[in-house]
Amino acid sequence: MRTDSPSDVLPSRDHLPATWRDVPVLDVVIPVFNEEKDLGPCVLRLHDHLTRTFPYPFRITVADNASTDRTPRVAAELADSVREVRHVRIDQKGRGRALRAVWSASDAPVLAYMDVDLSTDLNALLPLVAPLISGHSDLAIGSRLARSSRVVRGPKREFISRAYNLILRGSLHARFSDAQCGFKAIRGDVARVLLPLVEDTGWFFDTEMLVLAERAGLRIHEVPVDWVDDPDSTVHLVRTATDDLKGVWRVGRALAVGALPLDRLARPFGDDPRDRQLTGVPGGLARQLVGFCVVGALSTLFYLLLYSGFRTFTGSQAANALALLVSAVANTAANRRLTFGVRGRDRAVRHQAQGLVVFGIGLALTSGSLAALGAASGDPAHSTELAVLVAANLAATVLRFLLLRSWVFADRRETSSEATAPAPAPTYDITHAHDVQNPTYDLQNPTYDLQNPTCDMTAPHDPRNAR
């Protein structure tokens, strides 16, 4: 299991200052592939809308996704004529690959993307990014499936969209309503930590990003949108659906075995300064207490059922020991996963061994109670035995929680230099060579440097420097 020190997790969200002028606050990425016809009108319409309605500096980045028509030339002309427009060339296809490349290089604190067909009403753009600017949320998505959304599209696409989101809810327990709407935004600090964990480079990129963010406890804001479907869309539905199902299986398996270091995406509880001044209170105490109580209640019922079953063919002491042993193993496993958030197989045997020590203490308390009851009444009724066991278990429960928190799972909060080392961010080789083995990104503007996070993306485009 991987743990992270406080310096490796995300800081508290802050409201961007109203005087922010150093770099564009919003970078809207438009990934395109062979869109020479629609690209110009789309960018100009978006630029006009942002100029009229957006109160912060902005940038529009055209991510040319290995187009083979006149799209690169159209994008370069737009970058030359409109100051807020930039053009990035990526030599391999894949919407996820394009978004990862541009978002990873952008210096804007809020990153967004939308499809080139502008199917979404642009009036939803400011509500989409406002919660990210204010510090309220980490990601934001447009939803075509919200009750107040107004959508115009054919029954085939409507069925596929709703079926896909039902699959996500059933298999990955996703709570967001629309995974594939081409209208999303993310805070830059979140993107720098989250994107290295996202493997997909195609259409499943959105879903994987949202699932990981949600599992890590990040806040996802949803905006109802007005959507008019593009009848000329070039998306291959069958191939995309197949790739998405493969992605669902891959992400579900990774989450099940705890292979993803989601702890690094944790945020402090609350952004109120008073929350940061609290000392001596272990983090997550309230959540752990709730989880422990739920697991404890279910374990107690399981224990009593086992005791009643074992009691039919053995004595009370043996029935108690067997029932407590079986329920203790289940209780430790459930608390490990649900209460203390420990995933994967690392130290699972050690945790179970320590849990058996805690079981021994509970056995001593409950067995002692049964022995005292037998000495006092000789042959007590079964209902009396159950009542005594419930009371003894309540006392043992308090001690069990303290031992689990301070001893069994205390190592979850320990850190080491190996455990806290952040995963390296993906790098992209900027060369002129077109090598299939070494994907390249030919940038129209030489001031872009995807290897160097300090790249200047605000310098005007000079067509004389175009490669």
Side-chain angles (χ1 to χ4, degrees):
M1 179 190 64
R2 182 186 179 108
T3 58
D4 296 276
S5 66
S7 62
D8 292 322
V9 299
L10 292 170
S12 296
R13 292 182 294 264
D14 292 323
H15 195 303
L16 296 178
T19 56
W20 188 294
R21 291 294 182 270
D22 296 336
V23 296
V25 168
L26 174 65
D27 192 350
V28 183
V29 181
I30 303 177
V32 291
F33 172 71
N34 290 349
E35 297 287 355
E36 60 180 6
K37 177 181 177 182
D38 296 332
L39 179 57
C42 161
V43 170
L44 294 177
R45 178 184 166 196
L46 175 60
H47 180 269
D48 176 69
H49 177 83
L50 289 171
T51 302
R52 289 184 295 102
T53 64
F54 194 68
Y56 291 91
F58 65 88
R59 177 194 300 130
I60 300 173
T61 301
V62 179
D64 176 19
N65 206 188
S67 296
T68 56
D69 62 357
R70 293 184 63 256
T71 297
R73 182 177 300 178
V74 174
E77 293 173 353
L78 289 168
D80 184 39
S81 60
V82 183
R83 182 170 60 90
E84 290 83 5
V85 176
R86 297 291 179 267
H87 171 219
V88 176
R89 167 76 177 182
I90 295 100
D91 285 342
Q92 283 186 304
K93 291 182 63 176
R95 183 180 67 174
R97 178 179 287 107
L99 291 176
R100 186 201 311 277
V102 178
W103 279 356
S104 298
S106 179
D107 53 357
V110 177
L111 311 168
Y113 96 88
M114 61 179 59
D115 293 334
V116 69
D117 54 19
L118 294 187
S119 296
T120 304
D121 182 5
L122 292 179
N123 288 327
L125 182 55
L126 185 55
L128 181 80
V129 301
L132 310 186
I133 294 175
S134 70
H136 174 271
S137 300
D138 300 292
L139 297 91
I141 64 173
S143 175
R144 299 163 296 186
L145 303 181
R147 287 189 175 183
S148 56
S149 299
R150 295 184 297 178
V151 178
V152 178
R153 60 177 171 178
K156 179 180 178 180
R157 288 182 176 271
E158 180 75 10
F159 172 78
I160 293 175
S161 178
R162 292 188 177 276
Y164 178 63
N165 283 280
L166 285 176
I167 291 173
L168 294 181
R169 288 177 177 270
S171 59
L172 299 179
H173 306 290
R175 295 189 296 273
F176 48 84
S177 64
D178 192 350
Q180 290 287 26
C181 179
F183 192 66
K184 294 182 176 68
I186 184 173
R187 284 179 64 101
D189 57 346
V190 176
R192 282 188 289 272
V193 182
L194 178 58
L195 293 184
L197 304 181
V198 181
E199 294 185 15
D200 192 79
T201 58
W203 293 96
F204 187 69
F205 175 88
D206 303 50
T207 302
E208 185 172 358
M209 178 180 68
L210 291 174
V211 169
L212 298 186
E214 188 175 73
R215 287 297 186 95
L218 298 182
R219 183 175 293 162
I220 301 175
H221 178 73
E222 294 199 19
V223 178
V225 298
D226 298 339
W227 177 280
V228 179
D229 199 18
D230 179 13
D232 299 325
S233 174
T234 58
V235 178
H236 193 288
L237 294 180
V238 176
R239 183 171 63 246
T240 300
T242 302
D243 292 341
D244 286 346
L245 292 177
K246 292 179 180 178
V248 169
W249 168 256
R250 174 177 56 80
V251 172
R253 183 176 57 184
L255 291 171
V257 301
L260 296 168
L262 299 180
D263 285 349
R264 72 175 64 174
L265 292 169
R267 283 207 186 268
F269 177 75
D271 291 330
D272 192 307
R274 292 171 296 180
D275 294 335
R276 305 171 198 169
Q277 295 171 359
L278 296 176
T279 58
V281 178
L285 178 60
R287 180 189 61 79
Q288 291 178 357
L289 277 173
V290 172
F292 181 79
C293 290
V294 172
V295 172
L298 296 176
S299 297
T300 300
L301 292 176
F302 183 50
Y303 161 76
L304 293 176
L305 290 174
L306 289 175
Y307 176 82
S308 298
F310 293 147
R311 189 66 175 86
T312 58
F313 60 84
T314 188
S316 60
Q317 293 288 1
N320 174 62
L322 289 173
L324 200 56
L325 176 61
V326 175
S327 61
V329 173
N331 181 275
T332 300
N335 276 311
R336 183 178 188 269
R337 175 66 177 85
L338 302 177
T339 303
F340 298 98
V342 181
R343 299 174 175 87
R345 301 176 182 177
D346 186 33
R347 300 188 180 181
V349 176
R350 173 182 172 180
H351 291 157
Q352 282 292 350
Q354 292 173 312
L356 289 178
V357 175
V358 178
F359 149 76
I361 297 175
L363 177 62
L365 288 174
T366 54
S367 297
S369 300
L370 283 177
L373 177 64
S377 59
D379 186 19
H382 182 62
S383 58
T384 305
E385 288 182 344
L386 291 180
V388 169
L389 288 174
V390 169
N393 264 293
L394 288 176
T397 296
V398 176
L399 182 59
R400 184 184 304 122
F401 177 75
L402 295 176
L403 289 173
L404 289 177
R405 181 175 172 79
S406 62
W407 178 49
V408 179
F409 300 112
D411 57 342
R412 183 173 183 266
R413 293 184 292 275
E414 296 175 358
T415 59
S416 64
S417 58
E418 294 80 11
T420 58
T427 59
Y428 304 91
D429 186 16
I430 311 302
T431 65
H432 293 88
H434 294 270
D435 186 352
V436 176
Q437 299 299 325
N438 186 14
T440 63
Y441 299 87
D442 181 14
L443 307 184
Q444 297 289 336
N445 189 337
T447 59
Y448 287 94
D449 184 3
L450 292 181
Q451 296 279 8
N452 184 356
T454 60
C455 61
D456 180 12
M457 299 186 74
T458 61
H461 175 78
D462 187 351
R464 294 172 299 177
N465 294 329
R467 299 175 186 175

